[in-house]
Amino acid sequence: MSAPATGGEVELAITGMTCASCANRIERKLNKVEGVTATVNYATEKAKVTYGPGVTPQDLVATVEQAGYAAALPEPPAAENASETADPHEVAVAALRQRLVVSALLSVPVIAMAMIPALQFTYWQWLSLTLAAPVVVWGALPFHRAAWTNLRHGATTMDTLISMGTLAAFLWSLYALFLGHAGMPGMKHPFELTINRHDGSSNIYLEVAAGVTTFILAGRYFEARSKRQAGAALRALMDLGAKDVAVLTTDGTERRIPVSQLTVGTTFVVRPGEKVATDGVIEQGTSAIDTSMLTGESVPVEVGPGDAVTGATLNAGGRLVVRATRVGADTQLAQMARLVEDAQNGKAQVQRLADRISGIFVPIVLVLALGTLIFWLVSGAGAAMAFTAAVAVLIIACPCALGLATPTALMVGTGRGAQLGILIKGPEVLESTRRVDTIVLDKTGTVTTGQMTLHSITAAVGESEDDVLRYAAALESASEHPIARAITRAGQEKLGALPAVEDFASLEGLGVQGVVADADESHAIVVGRPQLLADWSMPLSPDLVSALTDAQATGGTAVAIGWDGRARGILVVADAVKTSSAEAVRQLRTLGLTPVLLTGDNATVARAVAADVGIDEVIADVLPQDKVDVITQLQAQGKVVAMVGDGVNDAAALAQADLGLAMGTGTDAAIEASDLTLVRGDLRVAADAIRLSRRTLSTIKGNLFWAFAYNVAALPLAAMGMLNPMLAGAAMAFSSVFVVSNSLRLRSFRPLTAAD
């Protein structure tokens, strides 16, 4: 007996959908279940469902089946790895291709004979019937089956229009052949762009029935192929990871195991040229890691013991020993894939509008087709004319392009973003990027590196900068303070090995002191505030006082160093501005955004950083809990605010902003609260993310415009008898292919940083 359902979230794989109306019908059925919120995406053929207590995933599957479709729960990992089964989508595409090829081979001669009078030999019409019948019956079977399934449930879809249109043309042709005059020897059927308004008992429309079926099958086939291409970025992302890994055993030997068997804490080896198996921390070795597959960053990152590495990145240098910190669904790669898929399964506001329209569109078209039939009959145009005009209305009205307009663009846009290290959490983000006019930038870790760096050295008259750096770095190497680490790192990078330290002592709030043994001599050294040197009777000389004053004016942190009874130099440490930040600010301004620097740091430091990158408006000395108030105040002024941040203290502000962008190098809390995640710690990616989002939204709107414009323009022509049904079918199929092809253009999106 199963445990009672407590609610949760599940993603169902839906089969049997043939158009956006099908997705709309399933979504309505699921949402009618108490405690269920569902979004069905026709393009991805998936339903994202949140359900409450008392509802089980099996109940959801049953609801979909009651609507006339099939649904499957996601398979557990063990089942996925148990056997190499064929991709059901690939199987469906192959079956559709076979149906299209056969239908096309049979339809081409039917269309040719109908359009070229010279090919109309005696009894050609009976050969046309022989060739067209399998196309209408077998080739169009998916449309007939879907139409019947929906009719049994009291629903109509695009397939209803297609099935009724092709069957009507075929049945009229049978009537004309067997009961009318079309079966007589020597019958001629001239090619006409418009509908023949004469007596229809001698006219057949087999080319319409076969041609429309073939054109629509072609549209569905290319649509299916394009949908596979649109989702290729996500599939490639999920396939990036390593398949097996060499783990270190307790006796120091290596043993290769599947990556799926890795556990947190396991130590594994990554050789040059291999992918890092999972997220972890380096315990031994140094190397360069190519992170381009995840971040879009082309320059390899130097790493060593203590540095974090991400699964699926490539080891471009030496041998590394890594301890696993996250495995399976918790890795950054898996989280990226999940974010991309969630975004693709969601719906933008424009798509919800299209869904509502398509939901009522089919009944309206059926009424319009009936009205067309009655109008021409009453006007005395003849049954054939009236019937053919009604068929043209049914065929031209199928708004398949409408259902594809949003999901295909969203799939391609989010997939391209994932390739560039831009993760769009949901389709509603697209609308936000269009409206944003103000972008608030956190300082530390966003505009700056978030890491203290040695900015400058001023040596006293007669002293060497190298000596000042060597002794300061040597003494500070015994300290863990961020300023100390910055000085030590600079000394090691410039001078290599540092002298030994003895009798080290940290003086809280003042600095450090100790003895540095250099070659054959030792020096008692103090590093810290000028007050500490004064206590040791080592006052600063005028040139050092000037350097100290300049550092304080620009927001840097200055420390003094002295030995052997004399002050020897000033070292200035500061949070370095990222080299790309100034360019990023220029790009954001180009997009019509006003940048604002927001920081808890003091105003002097904030203004210096803002001046360095070209930001005019600065809000400084803000406590973490007050950042939300700043965002709220800007919104109260009528501004639509985007926020870029990376720390825990930015999470609430990111959530409050109209658009939150988290640096992927930041904390999980900030990333969780954001709408867009920038995997790379480069602020220029923020501009690229907004550009990509806006372009995706623009593509969606363009798709919707052409889908609507096509129907609005063509329906009156069809109703007036000015559009041959076969041409209507070809135009309808072309509109779907056009929409998908237009969406695929997003794959060529290039970031502004690509030229770097």
Side-chain angles (χ1 to χ4, degrees):
M1 187 174 178
S2 60
T6 58
E9 187 173 279
V10 69
E11 186 176 79
L12 303 177
I14 308 292
T15 53
M17 292 192 299
T18 54
C19 63
S21 292
C22 298
N24 195 36
R25 171 173 166 73
I26 297 171
E27 187 172 294
R28 288 201 312 271
K29 285 284 187 182
L30 286 170
N31 284 322
K32 284 181 180 178
V33 179
E34 187 175 354
V36 170
T37 303
T39 298
V40 180
N41 193 309
Y42 169 54
T44 59
E45 297 180 323
K46 290 180 180 178
K48 186 178 180 182
V49 188
T50 303
Y51 56 96
V55 180
T56 67
Q58 289 73 22
D59 295 335
L60 303 174
V61 171
T63 301
V64 175
E65 291 173 346
Q66 289 168 10
Y69 305 88
L73 296 170
E75 293 184 350
E80 291 174 359
N81 298 329
S83 62
E84 293 294 328
T85 57
D87 184 345
H89 297 293
E90 291 291 353
V91 173
V93 171
L96 189 56
R97 179 172 60 247
Q98 181 187 42
R99 200 175 293 270
L100 168 63
V101 170
V102 174
S103 297
L105 290 175
L106 294 173
S107 298
V108 167
V110 175
I111 296 170
M113 286 187 289
M115 290 187 170
I116 305 174
L119 298 179
Q120 295 171 5
F121 56 88
T122 305
Y123 295 122
W124 67 273
Q125 64 270 42
W126 295 102
L127 175 61
S128 291
L129 175 63
T130 304
L131 295 174
V135 178
V136 176
V137 176
W138 175 80
L141 184 60
F143 311 133
H144 304 323
R145 185 186 294 126
W148 175 244
T149 299
N150 285 293
L151 283 174
R152 283 194 296 113
H153 291 86
T156 55
T157 67
M158 311 308 165
D159 291 298
T160 308
L161 303 182
I162 297 169
S163 178
M164 290 181 64
T166 54
L167 285 176
F170 183 69
L171 292 174
W172 177 266
S173 299
L174 290 179
Y175 161 77
L177 285 169
F178 287 98
L179 301 177
H181 305 294
M184 303 296 291
M187 189 273 281
K188 295 294 182 180
H189 182 47
F191 169 63
E192 296 175 333
L193 288 174
T194 57
I195 298 170
N196 188 341
R197 299 182 180 230
H198 304 293
D199 177 25
S201 63
S202 60
N203 290 335
I204 58 174
Y205 291 105
L206 293 172
E207 79 281 6
V208 172
V212 166
T213 299
T214 301
F215 283 130
I216 294 175
L217 282 173
R220 290 279 172 92
Y221 170 67
F222 289 115
E223 169 193 323
R225 280 193 58 192
S226 298
K227 281 160 64 177
R228 291 288 298 167
Q229 293 175 18
L234 176 59
R235 291 191 298 277
L237 186 67
M238 299 177 75
D239 290 340
L240 281 177
K243 300 299 182 281
D244 55 17
V245 58
V247 299
L248 285 178
T249 60
T250 52
D251 59 3
T253 59
E254 296 181 19
R255 179 169 61 92
R256 295 203 78 85
I257 63 171
V259 169
S260 59
Q261 296 179 12
L262 267 179
T263 58
V264 173
T266 302
T267 303
F268 61 92
V269 176
V270 188
R271 291 185 174 80
E274 288 185 339
K275 291 179 180 178
V276 179
T278 192
D279 298 358
V281 175
I282 297 174
E283 294 200 336
Q284 296 177 30
T286 58
S287 182
I289 296 291
D290 180 358
T291 62
S292 58
M293 60 189 69
L294 286 181
T295 66
E297 178 58 73
S298 58
V299 180
V301 179
E302 297 294 331
V303 294
D307 289 335
V309 289
T310 304
T313 53
L314 185 68
N315 181 10
R319 178 180 183 271
L320 297 175
V321 176
V322 180
R323 175 173 48 81
T325 56
R326 291 190 291 190
V327 298
D330 295 329
T331 63
Q332 183 175 347
L333 177 65
Q335 291 171 357
M336 285 177 63
R338 193 158 53 246
L339 281 172
V340 174
E341 193 161 18
D342 286 347
Q344 293 180 348
N345 285 340
K347 290 190 177 182
Q349 291 176 14
V350 286
Q351 173 65 15
R352 295 190 183 280
L353 173 62
D355 284 349
R356 288 195 296 271
I357 292 173
S358 66
I360 62 173
F361 192 79
V362 176
I364 291 176
V365 169
L366 292 175
V367 172
L368 180 60
L370 180 61
T372 300
L373 176 66
I374 295 172
F375 171 79
W376 287 112
L377 286 174
V378 171
S379 66
M385 167 63 192
F387 201 75
T388 310
V391 169
V393 169
L394 290 175
I395 293 171
I396 199 69
C398 299
C400 297
L402 192 62
L404 292 168
T406 297
T408 51
L410 191 60
M411 287 174 69
V412 181
T414 53
R416 179 58 177 152
Q419 292 176 328
L420 299 173
I422 301 166
L423 302 184
I424 302 172
K425 279 196 176 179
E428 64 281 351
V429 173
L430 304 179
E431 276 97 357
S432 299
T433 59
R434 176 177 55 85
R435 296 181 294 110
V436 165
D437 54 28
T438 303
I439 185 162
V440 176
L441 307 175
D442 172 56
K443 181 182 76 69
T444 306
T446 302
V447 177
T448 67
T449 62
Q451 186 178 51
M452 301 299 284
T453 306
L454 182 63
H455 188 268
S456 65
I457 302 172
T458 301
V461 176
E463 299 295 335
S464 161
E465 286 188 6
D466 284 353
D467 285 344
V468 169
L469 178 59
R470 178 184 297 106
Y471 292 139
L475 184 60
E476 295 281 29
S477 66
S479 171
E480 290 298 318
H481 194 280
I483 293 176
R485 288 200 299 269
I487 294 173
T488 300
R489 186 168 55 251
Q492 291 171 335
E493 290 174 356
K494 184 176 182 181
L495 305 173
L498 300 173
V501 180
E502 301 173 356
D503 299 331
F504 175 83
S506 177
L507 307 172
E508 186 175 355
L510 290 174
V512 294
Q513 64 184 46
V515 176
V516 174
D518 186 21
D520 297 330
E521 57 182 3
S522 297
H523 300 282
I525 298 177
V526 293
V527 177
R529 294 179 180 274
Q531 179 60 45
L532 177 61
L533 272 69
D535 292 344
W536 282 66
S537 300
M538 290 186 285
L540 301 183
S541 59
D543 55 332
L544 296 184
V545 170
S546 177
L548 178 66
T549 303
D550 290 343
Q552 292 172 339
T554 57
T557 300
V559 295
I561 180 172
W563 65 85
D564 296 343
R566 180 170 174 237
R568 309 283 178 160
I570 293 289
L571 300 97
V572 180
V573 175
D575 181 4
V577 174
K578 293 178 181 177
T579 55
S580 59
S581 291
E583 182 184 350
V585 170
R586 286 195 297 273
Q587 292 176 2
L588 292 169
R589 287 188 183 278
T590 301
L591 292 171
L593 306 179
T594 301
V596 177
L597 187 67
L598 177 65
T599 179
D601 215 334
N602 66 70
T604 301
V605 173
R607 281 195 292 269
V609 171
D612 200 3
V613 299
I615 296 177
D616 300 324
E617 189 173 346
V618 178
I619 303 174
D621 296 307
V622 178
L623 295 175
Q625 60 268 29
D626 295 333
K627 288 188 175 182
V628 174
D629 295 336
V630 172
I631 301 296
T632 304
Q633 289 167 10
L634 290 171
Q635 291 170 329
Q637 296 170 15
K639 297 177 180 177
V640 181
V641 182
M643 164 83 181
V644 187
D646 75 325
V648 173
N649 60 355
D650 298 323
L654 287 169
Q656 173 64 35
D658 298 286
L659 178 68
L661 298 91
M663 307 296 279
T665 51
T667 64
D668 290 343
I671 292 171
E672 183 65 27
S674 67
D675 301 304
L676 283 162
T677 299
L678 315 176
V679 177
R680 202 170 358 138
D682 187 334
L683 188 56
R684 291 176 298 182
V685 182
D688 289 333
I690 292 173
R691 286 179 56 244
L692 175 60
S693 296
R694 287 180 175 179
R695 183 169 167 187
T696 303
L697 181 62
S698 175
T699 300
I700 290 172
K701 290 188 171 182
N703 287 347
L704 288 171
F705 170 79
W706 287 112
F708 276 116
Y710 159 81
N711 286 117
V712 169
L715 270 174
L717 295 177
M720 289 187 293
M722 300 176 63
L723 195 61
N724 187 298
M726 186 180 64
L727 296 179
M732 190 214 57
F734 173 76
S735 69
S736 293
V737 175
F738 170 80
V739 162
V740 176
S741 302
N742 188 47
S743 298
L744 289 172
R745 292 170 57 234
L746 285 167
R747 293 191 300 179
S748 64
F749 174 84
R750 290 185 61 80
L752 294 173
T753 56
D756 292 354

